[in-house]
């Protein structure tokens, strides 16, 4: 590395903390009383959220809050800290807080907390706001928009302002987008004084779930887990060609699982991996783009998914565990594909891996892997069945026994860790980079997995609420943060334990404060996104968007999906993950559901919401606004726009997946027949994605010719969507008389779905015919299952009519309405399995492999 690059690298790394602060926690660092107040308020916010998520209010019967009151307090903290921590302009002071920001912070806290402060008074006069109510609401809206501009940039503020203007401009707009408008009193009641707007579902999820998960991620990073994951990935993969890039992909996936920010994910891992990528031969643009793509993809990785997982569960009306199940396979596939992209780039550049300190044969490595995997499986089985037996034997005492056992395991792991030196980050700018030994690195951080285990166990096995699960996981992590230093010192025989104990409590306080400051932008963003939700329900603009996209697409479903994807990309620019999802889901998800149904494609709601989520998230890498690209370029020293363009090229593979799972729901683990079909779906999807990467990168075994690229794309399409070809030969469904609907609903398996062809009319007199896929949930009688899905039917003289649709149910979200007619039930046709189409696709793949192997052999002979 030359002197100029070294200096540039130092400058860039010095600015990273500022970049993350400006984007996530606020760029202001005051001193004196203001610093103390900022620290204290952030700490109190974290403690409040821990109290609210815990069972303690009900145990002690004190400070029990309903959802509306908690949301109000949550927003009050977010607004106060937004004006304290985020400067108004680039030229605004960072070292102190101006008087006007003090006034705005106090006013914001009052308006945000208005529903909590005057909850009883407002409950006695619903729908009748006083002048003071309206003043607080208007002031709160203005302050919220300003707080959003400061904390997350102008994009959401501009979009929300346009929607507010749309409320009052409705009667004066062209006929296609006009509406009757609303008074100031009606608008403010909708947006601020009820739970239909700002204080709606998005802010509720931020209050109940998101804060605790962000806090969990912050504390985990403070404990040293981020460094551990990075070093472990580097030790495992650094010896491969392009090893630092592959380590960056894996470590970004690990940290992204519990991170709520693309920018923070890029900076956390990129500080270490991007300079190493450059050292082994990756150009600066590609090094930054790889880390950018890996960091952004962390937001689609369960269990947190940038906090969108909890919102998807709320909006779709399914459990959080189901969201994780549906989202897991696409996330894994896209990371494996990025890993393959890195490998192709390494082949093109002729790169090699770094030297290991201790060499192992392939047989030794395989044996070590198999022993580790077997031990993990045995351990999981022992824990699962051991806890099951404990529940039967000891009943209510089980949690205490499990806590004691967990504490004993923790002490054992800390004692084991104490026998090994602490991890130290290798300097990526040094002349020689040594790979750390895998076994040595692994031994130093096994105890970090315990809080993650508590979190995942509570969520997936005990199936507790996400908020309560995050509380238990965070409590376990707090114990780790406070005790790991003094216990390590104790097991090492050190006499002075006071200093490590103080350091542990210092880490805890810093983690609680930084966790709260990381939540400022998310809290403000979810509240501001609620404005759009409120305007859509008040004005009916969603129907306008549906008609607009339908008109522009000419009724073509594929063009409609492309238009929707483009709109999601535009709406998501400059917004954090959570706000981006709320906006695109509110505006565009109903468009896909409606237009797909009119094209006789019954799309599950979760597929629709994941579609808009993926494209809203891709805005983080899309020039010219991609925030993650700017963060990566600050480390690499490359042009941010060039980095964003290259990262977007890598992200094309992620953009392909939503189109696939709209048409092939098996990719989301929906409608899979059994274990064999599951293996077939996973294997075919993985191979298809790797072939897509090879085609778009122009390199498979060797550099591909144009006809080989076309063949690879054709094979990829067939593996992803074999039903496309089979449907040309055999119809996928047959129509059954609607009068058999109860019989067919009863026969569907657990979590099955019923395909219905329905017809009816809108309030505007427009005739509708479409197909919907109604989820049925638990087994039972057909009529009971349909009622649970939100629809009651009337069967009379061979006609099946919708007698009632429950508000907020799956049936309502799918657009079913009162007095519509169920014209038929679509059941799967008796036809050959669509997977037979894999055979010709694999034969074509074999032909491409044969051609490229022959060319590679000829090139080797010439060399």
């Amino acid at each position: 590395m030359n002197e100029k690059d070294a200096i540039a690298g130092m400058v860039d790394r010095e600015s990273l903390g500022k970049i993350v602060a400006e984007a996530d926690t606020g760029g202001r660092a005051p001193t004196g009383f203001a610093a103390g107040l900022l620290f204290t308020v952030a700490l109190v916010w974290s403690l409040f959220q821990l109290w609210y998520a815990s069972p303690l209010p009900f145990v002690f019967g004190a400070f029990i809050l309903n959802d509306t009151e908690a949301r109000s307090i949550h927003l009050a903290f977010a607004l106060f800290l937004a004006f304290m921590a985020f400067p108004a302009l680039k030229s605004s002071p960072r070292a102190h807080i101006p008087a006007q920001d003090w006034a705005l912070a106090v006013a914001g806290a009052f308006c945000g907390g208005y529903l909590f402060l005057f909850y009883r008074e407002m409950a006695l006069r619903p729908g009748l706001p006083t002048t003071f109510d309206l003043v607080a609401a208007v002031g709160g809206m203005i302050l919220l928009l300003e707080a959003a501009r400061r904390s997350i940039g102008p994009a959401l503020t501009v979009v929300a302002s346009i929607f507010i203007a749309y409320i009052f401009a409705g009667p004066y707009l062209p006929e296609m987008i006009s509406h009757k408008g609303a008074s100031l009193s009606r608008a403010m009641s909708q947006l601020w004084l009820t739970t239909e707007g700002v204080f709606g579902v998005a802010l509720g999820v931020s209050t109940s779930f998101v804060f605790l998960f962000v806090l969990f991620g912050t504390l985990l990073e403070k404990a040293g887990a981020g460094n551990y994951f990075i070093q472990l990935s580097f030790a495992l993969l650094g010896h491969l060609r392009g090893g630092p890039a592959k380590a960056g992909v894996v470590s970004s996936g690990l940290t992204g699982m519990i991170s709520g920010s693309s920018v923070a994910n890029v900076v956390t891992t990129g500080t270490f991996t991007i300079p190493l990528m450059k050292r082994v031969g990756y150009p600066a643009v590609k090094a930054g783009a790889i880390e950018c793509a890996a960091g952004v993809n962390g937001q689609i990785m369960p269990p947190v998914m940038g906090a969108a997982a909890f919102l998807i569960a709320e909006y779709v009306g399914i459990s959080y565990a189901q969201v994780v199940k549906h989202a897991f396979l696409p996330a894994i596939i896209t990371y494996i594909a990025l890993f393959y992209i890195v490998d192709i780039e390494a082949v093109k550049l002729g790169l090699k891996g770094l030297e290991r300190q201790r060499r192992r044969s392939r047989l030794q490595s395989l044996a070590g892997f198999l022993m580790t995997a077997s031990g993990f499986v045995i351990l999981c089985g022992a824990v699962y069945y051991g806890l099951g037996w404990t529940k039967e034997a000891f009943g209510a005492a089980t949690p205490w026994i499990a806590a004691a056992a967990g504490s004993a395991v923790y002490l054992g792991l800390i004692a084991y860790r104490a026998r090994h030196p602490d991890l130290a980050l290798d300097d990526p700018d040094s002349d020689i980079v040594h790979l750390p030994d895998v076994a040595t690195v692994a031994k130093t951080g096994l105890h970090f997995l315990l809080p993650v285990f508590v979190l995942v166990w509570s969520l997936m096995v005990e199936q507790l609420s996400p908020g309560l699960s995050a509380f238990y996981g965070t409590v376990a992590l707090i114990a780790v943060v406070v005790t790991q230093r003094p216990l390590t010192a104790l097991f090492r025989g050190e006499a002075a334990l006071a200093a490590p104990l103080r350091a542990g409590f210092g880490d805890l306080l810093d983690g609680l404060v930084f966790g709260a400051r990381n939540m400022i932008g998310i809290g403000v963003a979810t509240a501001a996104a609620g404005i759009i939700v409120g305007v859509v329900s008040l004005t009916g603009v969603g129907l306008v968007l549906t008609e607009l996209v339908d008109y522009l697409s000419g009724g073509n479903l594929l063009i409609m999906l492309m238009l929707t994807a483009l709109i999601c990309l535009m709406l998501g620019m400059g917004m954090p993950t959570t706000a981006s999802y709320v906006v695109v889901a509110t505006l565009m998800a109903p468009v896909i559901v409606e237009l797909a149904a009119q094209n006789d494609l019954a799309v599950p709601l979760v597929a629709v919401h994941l579609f808009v989520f993926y494209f809203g998230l891709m805005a983080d890498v899309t020039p010219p606004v991609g925030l993650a690209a700017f963060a990566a370029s600050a480390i690499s020293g490359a042009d941010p726009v060039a980095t964003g363009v290259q990262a977007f090229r890598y992200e094309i593979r992620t953009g392909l997946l939503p189109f696939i799972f709209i048409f092939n729901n098996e990719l989301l683990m929906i409608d899979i027949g059994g274990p064999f079909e599951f293996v077939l779906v996973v294997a075919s999807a993985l191979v298809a994605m790797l072939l897509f990467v090879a085609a778009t990168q122009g390199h498979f075994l060797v550099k591909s010719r144009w006809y080989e690229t076309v063949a690879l794309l054709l094979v990829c399409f067939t593996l992803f969507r074999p039903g496309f070809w089979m449907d040309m030969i055999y119809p996928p469904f047959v129509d059954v008389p609607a009068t058999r609907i109860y019989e067919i609903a009863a026969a569907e398996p657990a979590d099955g779905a019923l395909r219905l062809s329905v017809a009816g009319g809108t309030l505007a007199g427009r005739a509708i015919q479409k197909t919907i896929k109604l989820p049925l949930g638990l087994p039972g009688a057909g009529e009971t299952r349909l009622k649970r899905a939100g629809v009651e039917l009337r069967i009379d003289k061979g006609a099946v009519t919708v007698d009632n649709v429950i508000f907020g149910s799956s049936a309502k979200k799918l657009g079913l309405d009162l007095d519509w007619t169920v014209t038929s039930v679509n059941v799967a046709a008796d036809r050959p399995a669509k997977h037979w189409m894999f055979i010709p696709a694999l034969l074509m793949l074999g032909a491409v492999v044969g051609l490229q192997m022959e060319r590679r052999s000829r090139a080797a002979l010439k060399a």
Side-chain angles (χ1 to χ4, degrees), residues 294-353:
V296 170
N297 284 158
Q299 303 298 282
I300 67 173
M301 195 74 181
V304 177
M305 296 169 62
F310 315 111
L311 285 162
I312 293 173
E314 291 290 323
Y315 282 136
V316 177
I318 60 178
S319 70
Y320 169 80
Q322 287 177 297
V323 174
V324 171
K325 181 188 78 171
H326 295 317
F328 185 72
L329 181 58
I332 290 294
I333 287 174
T334 196
Y335 260 107
I336 293 174
L338 182 58
F339 198 88
Y340 184 40
I341 287 174
V342 167
D343 189 68
I344 290 175
E345 293 286 13
V347 171
K348 290 179 180 178
L349 295 167
L351 305 182
K352 295 182 179 180

Coordinates of all heavy atoms in Angstrom, one line a residue, residues 294-353:
A294 N -23.4 -7.3 0.9 CA -23.5 -8.2 2.0 C -24.1 -7.5 3.2 O -24.9 -8.1 3.9 CB -22.1 -8.7 2.4
G295 N -23.8 -6.3 3.5 CA -24.4 -5.5 4.6 C -25.9 -5.3 4.4 O -26.7 -5.5 5.4
V296 N -26.3 -4.9 3.2 CA -27.7 -4.7 3.0 C -28.5 -6.0 3.1 O -29.6 -6.1 3.6 CB -27.9 -4.1 1.6 CG1 -29.4 -4.0 1.2 CG2 -27.4 -2.6 1.6
N297 N -27.9 -7.1 2.5 CA -28.6 -8.4 2.6 C -28.8 -8.9 4.0 O -29.6 -9.8 4.3 CB -27.9 -9.5 1.8 CG -28.1 -9.3 0.3 OD1 -27.3 -9.8 -0.5 ND2 -29.2 -8.6 -0.1
G298 N -28.0 -8.3 5.0 CA -28.2 -8.7 6.4 C -29.6 -8.3 6.9 O -30.1 -8.9 7.8
Q299 N -30.2 -7.3 6.2 CA -31.6 -6.9 6.6 C -32.7 -7.9 6.1 O -33.8 -7.7 6.6 CB -31.9 -5.5 6.0 CG -30.8 -4.5 6.4 CD -30.8 -4.2 7.9 OE1 -31.7 -3.6 8.4 NE2 -29.8 -4.8 8.5
I300 N -32.4 -8.8 5.2 CA -33.4 -9.8 4.8 C -33.1 -11.1 5.6 O -33.8 -12.1 5.3 CB -33.4 -10.1 3.3 CG1 -32.1 -10.7 2.9 CG2 -33.6 -8.8 2.6 CD1 -32.1 -11.2 1.4
M301 N -32.2 -11.1 6.5 CA -31.8 -12.4 7.2 C -32.6 -12.5 8.5 O -32.5 -11.6 9.4 CB -30.3 -12.3 7.5 CG -29.7 -13.6 7.9 SD -29.5 -14.7 6.4 CE -28.9 -16.2 7.2
P302 N -33.4 -13.5 8.6 CA -34.0 -13.7 9.9 C -33.0 -13.9 11.0 O -31.8 -14.3 10.7 CB -34.8 -15.0 9.7 CG -35.0 -15.1 8.2 CD -33.7 -14.6 7.7
P303 N -33.3 -13.6 12.3 CA -34.6 -13.4 12.8 C -35.1 -12.0 12.9 O -36.3 -11.8 13.1 CB -34.5 -14.0 14.3 CG -33.1 -13.7 14.6 CD -32.3 -13.8 13.4
V304 N -34.3 -11.0 12.7 CA -34.7 -9.6 12.9 C -35.2 -8.9 11.6 O -36.2 -8.2 11.5 CB -33.6 -8.8 13.6 CG1 -34.1 -7.3 13.7 CG2 -33.3 -9.3 14.9
M305 N -34.4 -9.1 10.5 CA -34.7 -8.6 9.2 C -34.9 -7.1 9.3 O -35.9 -6.5 8.7 CB -36.0 -9.3 8.6 CG -35.8 -10.7 8.3 SD -37.4 -11.6 8.0 CE -37.8 -10.7 6.5
G306 N -34.0 -6.4 10.0 CA -34.1 -4.9 10.1 C -35.4 -4.5 10.8 O -35.9 -3.4 10.5
A307 N -35.9 -5.4 11.6 CA -37.2 -5.1 12.4 C -38.4 -5.3 11.5 O -39.5 -5.2 12.1 CB -37.2 -3.8 13.0
A308 N -38.3 -5.5 10.2 CA -39.5 -5.7 9.4 C -40.2 -7.0 9.6 O -41.4 -7.1 9.3 CB -39.1 -5.6 7.9
A309 N -39.5 -8.0 10.2 CA -40.2 -9.3 10.4 C -41.4 -9.1 11.3 O -42.4 -9.7 11.1 CB -39.2 -10.3 11.0
F310 N -41.3 -8.3 12.3 CA -42.4 -8.1 13.2 C -43.5 -7.3 12.6 O -44.7 -7.6 12.8 CB -41.9 -7.3 14.5 CG -40.6 -7.9 15.0 CD1 -39.4 -7.1 14.9 CD2 -40.5 -9.2 15.5 CE1 -38.2 -7.6 15.4 CE2 -39.3 -9.7 16.0 CZ -38.2 -8.9 15.9
L311 N -43.2 -6.4 11.7 CA -44.2 -5.6 11.0 C -44.9 -6.5 10.0 O -46.2 -6.4 9.8 CB -43.6 -4.4 10.3 CG -43.2 -3.2 11.2 CD1 -42.2 -2.4 10.4 CD2 -44.4 -2.5 11.6
I312 N -44.2 -7.4 9.3 CA -44.8 -8.3 8.4 C -45.8 -9.2 9.1 O -46.9 -9.4 8.6 CB -43.7 -9.1 7.6 CG1 -42.9 -8.2 6.7 CG2 -44.4 -10.3 6.8 CD1 -41.7 -8.9 6.1
A313 N -45.4 -9.7 10.3 CA -46.3 -10.6 11.1 C -47.6 -9.8 11.4 O -48.7 -10.4 11.3 CB -45.6 -11.0 12.3
E314 N -47.5 -8.5 11.8 CA -48.7 -7.7 12.1 C -49.5 -7.5 10.9 O -50.8 -7.6 11.0 CB -48.2 -6.4 12.7 CG -47.6 -6.5 14.1 CD -48.6 -7.0 15.2 OE1 -49.8 -6.5 15.1 OE2 -48.2 -7.8 16.1
Y315 N -48.9 -7.1 9.8 CA -49.7 -6.7 8.6 C -50.3 -7.9 7.9 O -51.5 -7.8 7.4 CB -48.8 -6.0 7.6 CG -48.6 -4.5 8.0 CD1 -47.3 -4.0 7.9 CD2 -49.6 -3.7 8.4 CE1 -47.0 -2.6 8.2 CE2 -49.3 -2.4 8.7 CZ -48.1 -1.8 8.6 OH -47.8 -0.5 9.0
V316 N -49.6 -9.0 7.9 CA -50.2 -10.2 7.2 C -51.1 -11.0 8.1 O -52.0 -11.7 7.6 CB -49.0 -11.1 6.7 CG1 -49.5 -12.4 6.1 CG2 -48.1 -10.3 5.8
G317 N -50.9 -10.9 9.4 CA -51.8 -11.6 10.4 C -51.3 -13.0 10.6 O -52.2 -13.9 10.8
I318 N -50.0 -13.3 10.5 CA -49.5 -14.6 10.8 C -48.5 -14.5 12.0 O -48.1 -13.4 12.4 CB -48.8 -15.2 9.6 CG1 -47.6 -14.3 9.1 CG2 -49.8 -15.5 8.5 CD1 -46.8 -14.9 8.0
S319 N -48.1 -15.6 12.5 CA -47.1 -15.6 13.7 C -45.7 -15.2 13.2 O -45.4 -15.4 12.0 CB -47.1 -17.0 14.3 OG -46.4 -17.9 13.5
Y320 N -45.0 -14.7 14.1 CA -43.6 -14.3 13.8 C -42.8 -15.5 13.4 O -42.0 -15.4 12.4 CB -43.0 -13.7 15.1 CG -41.5 -13.5 15.0 CD1 -40.9 -12.4 14.3 CD2 -40.6 -14.4 15.6 CE1 -39.6 -12.3 14.2 CE2 -39.2 -14.3 15.5 CZ -38.7 -13.2 14.8 OH -37.4 -13.0 14.7
A321 N -43.0 -16.7 14.0 CA -42.3 -17.9 13.6 C -42.6 -18.2 12.1 O -41.7 -18.7 11.4 CB -42.7 -19.1 14.5
Q322 N -43.8 -18.0 11.7 CA -44.1 -18.3 10.2 C -43.4 -17.3 9.3 O -42.9 -17.7 8.2 CB -45.6 -18.2 10.0 CG -46.4 -19.3 10.6 CD -47.9 -19.2 10.4 OE1 -48.5 -18.2 10.9 NE2 -48.5 -20.0 9.7
V323 N -43.2 -16.1 9.7 CA -42.5 -15.1 8.9 C -41.0 -15.6 8.8 O -40.5 -15.6 7.7 CB -42.5 -13.7 9.6 CG1 -41.6 -12.7 8.8 CG2 -43.9 -13.2 9.6
V324 N -40.4 -16.0 9.9 CA -39.1 -16.5 9.8 C -39.0 -17.7 8.9 O -38.0 -17.8 8.1 CB -38.6 -16.8 11.2 CG1 -37.2 -17.6 11.2 CG2 -38.5 -15.6 12.1
K325 N -39.9 -18.6 9.0 CA -39.9 -19.8 8.1 C -40.0 -19.4 6.7 O -39.2 -19.9 5.8 CB -41.1 -20.7 8.5 CG -41.1 -22.0 7.7 CD -42.4 -22.8 7.9 CE -43.6 -22.2 7.2 NZ -44.8 -23.0 7.2
H326 N -40.9 -18.5 6.3 CA -41.0 -18.1 4.9 C -39.8 -17.3 4.4 O -39.5 -17.5 3.2 CB -42.3 -17.2 4.8 CG -43.6 -17.9 5.1 ND1 -43.8 -19.2 4.7 CD2 -44.7 -17.5 5.8 CE1 -45.0 -19.6 5.1 NE2 -45.6 -18.6 5.8
A327 N -39.2 -16.6 5.2 CA -38.1 -15.7 4.8 C -36.7 -16.3 4.8 O -35.8 -15.8 4.1 CB -38.0 -14.4 5.6
F328 N -36.6 -17.5 5.4 CA -35.3 -18.1 5.7 C -34.6 -18.5 4.4 O -33.4 -18.2 4.1 CB -35.4 -19.2 6.6 CG -34.0 -19.8 7.1 CD1 -33.2 -19.1 7.9 CD2 -33.6 -21.0 6.6 CE1 -32.0 -19.6 8.3 CE2 -32.4 -21.5 6.9 CZ -31.6 -20.8 7.8
L329 N -35.3 -19.3 3.6 CA -34.6 -19.9 2.4 C -34.2 -18.9 1.4 O -33.0 -18.9 0.9 CB -35.6 -20.9 1.7 CG -35.0 -21.6 0.4 CD1 -33.7 -22.4 0.8 CD2 -36.1 -22.6 -0.1
P330 N -35.0 -17.8 1.0 CA -34.5 -16.8 0.1 C -33.3 -16.1 0.6 O -32.4 -15.8 -0.1 CB -35.7 -15.8 -0.1 CG -36.9 -16.7 0.2 CD -36.5 -17.7 1.3
A331 N -33.3 -15.8 2.0 CA -32.1 -15.1 2.5 C -30.8 -16.0 2.4 O -29.8 -15.5 2.1 CB -32.4 -14.8 4.0
I332 N -30.9 -17.3 2.7 CA -29.8 -18.1 2.6 C -29.3 -18.2 1.2 O -28.1 -18.2 0.9 CB -30.1 -19.5 3.2 CG1 -30.3 -19.5 4.7 CG2 -29.0 -20.6 2.8 CD1 -29.0 -19.1 5.5
I333 N -30.2 -18.4 0.3 CA -29.9 -18.5 -1.1 C -29.1 -17.3 -1.6 O -28.1 -17.4 -2.3 CB -31.1 -18.8 -2.0 CG1 -31.6 -20.2 -1.8 CG2 -30.9 -18.6 -3.5 CD1 -33.0 -20.5 -2.5
T334 N -29.6 -16.1 -1.3 CA -29.0 -14.9 -1.8 C -27.6 -14.7 -1.2 O -26.7 -14.2 -1.9 CB -29.9 -13.7 -1.5 OG1 -29.5 -12.6 -2.3 CG2 -29.9 -13.2 -0.1
Y335 N -27.4 -15.2 0.1 CA -26.0 -15.1 0.6 C -25.1 -16.1 0.0 O -23.9 -15.8 -0.3 CB -26.1 -15.3 2.1 CG -26.0 -14.0 2.9 CD1 -27.1 -13.5 3.5 CD2 -24.8 -13.2 2.9 CE1 -27.1 -12.3 4.2 CE2 -24.8 -12.0 3.6 CZ -25.9 -11.5 4.2 OH -25.9 -10.3 4.9
I336 N -25.6 -17.3 -0.3 CA -24.7 -18.3 -1.0 C -24.4 -17.8 -2.4 O -23.2 -17.9 -2.9 CB -25.4 -19.6 -1.1 CG1 -25.6 -20.2 0.4 CG2 -24.7 -20.6 -2.0 CD1 -26.4 -21.5 0.4
A337 N -25.3 -17.1 -3.0 CA -25.1 -16.6 -4.4 C -24.1 -15.4 -4.3 O -23.2 -15.4 -5.2 CB -26.4 -16.0 -5.0
L338 N -24.1 -14.6 -3.3 CA -23.1 -13.5 -3.2 C -21.7 -14.1 -2.9 O -20.7 -13.7 -3.4 CB -23.5 -12.6 -2.0 CG -22.5 -11.4 -1.8 CD1 -22.4 -10.5 -3.1 CD2 -23.0 -10.5 -0.6
F339 N -21.7 -15.2 -2.1 CA -20.4 -15.9 -1.9 C -19.9 -16.4 -3.2 O -18.7 -16.3 -3.5 CB -20.8 -17.1 -1.0 CG -19.6 -17.7 -0.3 CD1 -19.1 -17.2 0.9 CD2 -18.9 -18.8 -0.9 CE1 -18.0 -17.8 1.5 CE2 -17.8 -19.4 -0.3 CZ -17.3 -18.9 0.9
Y340 N -20.8 -16.9 -4.1 CA -20.3 -17.4 -5.4 C -19.9 -16.2 -6.3 O -18.9 -16.4 -7.1 CB -21.5 -18.1 -6.1 CG -21.2 -18.8 -7.4 CD1 -20.0 -19.4 -7.6 CD2 -22.1 -18.7 -8.5 CE1 -19.7 -20.0 -8.9 CE2 -21.9 -19.3 -9.7 CZ -20.6 -19.9 -9.9 OH -20.4 -20.5 -11.1
I341 N -20.5 -15.1 -6.2 CA -20.1 -13.9 -7.0 C -18.7 -13.5 -6.6 O -17.8 -13.2 -7.4 CB -21.0 -12.7 -6.7 CG1 -22.4 -12.9 -7.4 CG2 -20.4 -11.4 -7.2 CD1 -23.4 -11.9 -7.1
V342 N -18.4 -13.6 -5.3 CA -17.1 -13.2 -4.8 C -16.0 -14.2 -5.3 O -14.9 -13.8 -5.7 CB -17.1 -13.3 -3.2 CG1 -15.7 -13.3 -2.7 CG2 -17.9 -12.1 -2.7
D343 N -16.4 -15.5 -5.4 CA -15.5 -16.5 -5.9 C -15.2 -16.3 -7.4 O -14.1 -16.4 -7.9 CB -16.1 -17.9 -5.7 CG -15.1 -19.0 -6.1 OD1 -14.1 -19.1 -5.3 OD2 -15.3 -19.7 -7.1
I344 N -16.3 -15.9 -8.2 CA -16.1 -15.6 -9.6 C -15.2 -14.4 -9.8 O -14.3 -14.5 -10.7 CB -17.5 -15.4 -10.3 CG1 -18.2 -16.7 -10.4 CG2 -17.3 -14.8 -11.7 CD1 -19.7 -16.5 -10.9
E345 N -15.4 -13.4 -9.0 CA -14.5 -12.2 -9.1 C -13.1 -12.6 -8.8 O -12.1 -12.1 -9.4 CB -15.0 -11.1 -8.2 CG -16.4 -10.5 -8.6 CD -16.3 -9.6 -9.8 OE1 -15.3 -9.6 -10.5 OE2 -17.3 -8.9 -10.0
A346 N -12.9 -13.5 -7.8 CA -11.5 -13.9 -7.4 C -10.9 -14.7 -8.6 O -9.7 -14.5 -8.9 CB -11.6 -14.7 -6.2
V347 N -11.7 -15.5 -9.3 CA -11.1 -16.3 -10.4 C -10.7 -15.3 -11.5 O -9.7 -15.4 -12.1 CB -12.2 -17.3 -10.9 CG1 -11.8 -17.9 -12.2 CG2 -12.4 -18.4 -9.9
K348 N -11.6 -14.3 -11.8 CA -11.3 -13.4 -12.9 C -10.0 -12.6 -12.6 O -9.2 -12.3 -13.5 CB -12.5 -12.4 -13.0 CG -13.7 -13.0 -13.6 CD -14.8 -11.9 -13.7 CE -16.1 -12.4 -14.3 NZ -17.2 -11.3 -14.3
L349 N -9.8 -12.3 -11.3 CA -8.6 -11.5 -10.9 C -7.4 -12.3 -10.6 O -6.4 -11.8 -10.3 CB -9.0 -10.6 -9.7 CG -10.1 -9.5 -9.9 CD1 -10.6 -9.0 -8.6 CD2 -9.6 -8.4 -10.8
G350 N -7.6 -13.6 -10.6 CA -6.5 -14.5 -10.3 C -6.0 -14.5 -8.9 O -4.8 -14.6 -8.6
L351 N -6.9 -14.3 -7.9 CA -6.6 -14.1 -6.5 C -6.4 -15.5 -5.8 O -6.9 -16.5 -6.2 CB -7.6 -13.3 -5.8 CG -8.0 -12.0 -6.4 CD1 -9.0 -11.3 -5.6 CD2 -6.7 -11.1 -6.5
K352 N -5.6 -15.5 -4.8 CA -5.4 -16.6 -3.9 C -5.7 -16.3 -2.5 O -5.8 -15.1 -2.1 CB -3.9 -17.1 -4.0 CG -3.5 -17.6 -5.4 CD -2.1 -18.1 -5.5 CE -1.8 -18.7 -6.9 NZ -0.4 -19.2 -6.9
G353 N -5.8 -17.3 -1.7 CA -6.1 -17.1 -0.3 C -4.9 -16.8 0.6 O -3.8 -16.8 0.1

